[in-house]
Amino acid sequence: MPAKNAEDTIKLAVRSTLSALPLDGELLVADDRSSDSTLQTLREMSRTDARLRVFSGESDGGVANSLNFLLQEAKHSLVARMDADDVTLPWRFAFQSCQIGENADLVFSNRINFGAKIASFRPSSISAISQEAMPLWLAITNPVAHSSLLAKKSLLIEVGGYRTGPAEDYDLWMRLVCAGAKITRISVPCIGYRLHPNQITKGEDWRRSFIEDENLLTSHD
């Protein structure tokens, strides 16, 4: 979980994730030089649950660098992604881990969207995407929520991890598909996905930089 200035949402994101984690799991959070109370909150929470490991200033900053650092620090063969403003649903890891195997290297889930009030939730699309259909979907759009990812750590590292850019997640999915990774999306929602007007991907500047991203043009190399 990367975090930056997330003091309003970090407690719920961390608590829900720890509640869903198995006892031998761990939650790694990289604080990216927050100027609010995010880091202080994380350190206080880590004192009551040893599964929470907090890092600050270990990477060069930015989402991609933070995620690559956390990948190297992760002790387990399976890794999951979480956002500092989303909510992990109680059954997430138990359910998704059962899907990883011969037919799936990366498993994404459906999501429940919510707004300013967590009670204002509404379900997203309920369709599943098979590994056979995923390459076609990715050629058209990014059909998966990054924070719903559960994956084999070794594969993410083998293709070089995340690259800095406006769509570090989509770029990685494209490289994984080209490398033969089996990616699926299940219809069961495993996260609560927070929608708010200040999301980076809603801005025109982000959309323009996404279209012009050289990483995406070379994802097949």
Side-chain angles (χ1 to χ4, degrees):
M1 179 191 296
K4 186 178 181 67
N5 295 336
E7 63 181 4
D8 293 333
T9 60
I10 192 68
K11 282 187 177 181
L12 182 58
V14 168
R15 285 174 177 168
S16 64
T17 304
L18 290 173
S19 295
L21 273 178
L23 294 179
D24 63 345
E26 60 177 357
L27 172 58
L28 280 65
V29 184
D31 175 73
D32 188 8
R33 302 175 176 85
S34 293
S35 58
D36 62 7
S37 63
T38 298
L39 181 57
Q40 178 183 351
T41 299
L42 286 167
R43 286 174 171 166
E44 290 174 354
M45 297 182 77
S46 69
R47 297 189 186 104
T48 61
D49 196 324
R51 296 176 301 164
L52 174 59
R53 299 170 59 199
V54 180
F55 303 91
S56 179
E58 281 82 359
S59 71
D60 293 330
V63 175
N65 289 329
S66 293
L67 291 176
N68 286 330
F69 171 80
L70 293 177
L71 269 178
Q72 296 296 332
E73 287 291 322
K75 300 176 181 177
H76 293 263
S77 59
L78 295 180
V79 293
R81 173 73 159 83
M82 185 57 183
D83 275 332
D85 58 354
D86 290 343
V87 177
T88 300
L89 299 181
W91 53 84
R92 174 183 178 177
F93 301 116
F95 196 91
Q96 282 189 286
S97 61
C98 293
Q99 312 299 313
I100 292 282
E102 292 184 3
N103 296 321
D105 300 314
L106 288 80
V107 175
F108 294 89
S109 80
N110 193 7
R111 70 195 197 194
I112 294 175
N113 297 325
F114 67 97
K117 297 180 179 180
I118 194 168
S120 64
F121 64 87
R122 58 188 185 277
S124 181
S125 167
I126 61 172
S127 63
I129 302 177
S130 67
Q131 63 159 311
E132 293 81 10
M134 184 62 76
L136 179 59
W137 275 90
L138 286 170
I140 301 171
T141 186
N142 185 359
V144 295
H146 195 178
S147 57
S148 75
L149 168 70
L150 182 75
K152 296 177 181 177
K153 172 185 172 180
S154 59
L155 288 179
L156 305 187
I157 293 177
E158 283 175 13
V159 298
Y162 293 88
R163 297 192 294 190
T164 301
E168 76 286 337
D169 53 347
Y170 186 52
D171 168 58
L172 179 55
W173 315 154
M174 295 294 283
R175 284 183 285 126
L176 283 162
V177 163
C178 291
K182 294 170 287 188
I183 307 176
T184 65
R185 187 183 78 180
I186 58 177
S187 60
V188 176
C190 290
I191 63 165
Y193 185 83
R194 189 186 301 268
L195 300 173
H196 54 86
N198 295 325
Q199 284 175 304
I200 294 176
T201 54
K202 290 184 178 295
E204 287 301 320
D205 289 342
W206 180 89
R207 295 179 188 276
R208 188 178 303 109
S209 63
F210 170 75
I211 294 172
E212 299 172 353
D213 185 13
E214 294 184 359
N215 283 343
L216 294 178
L217 298 178
T218 59
S219 290
H220 63 282
D221 293 343

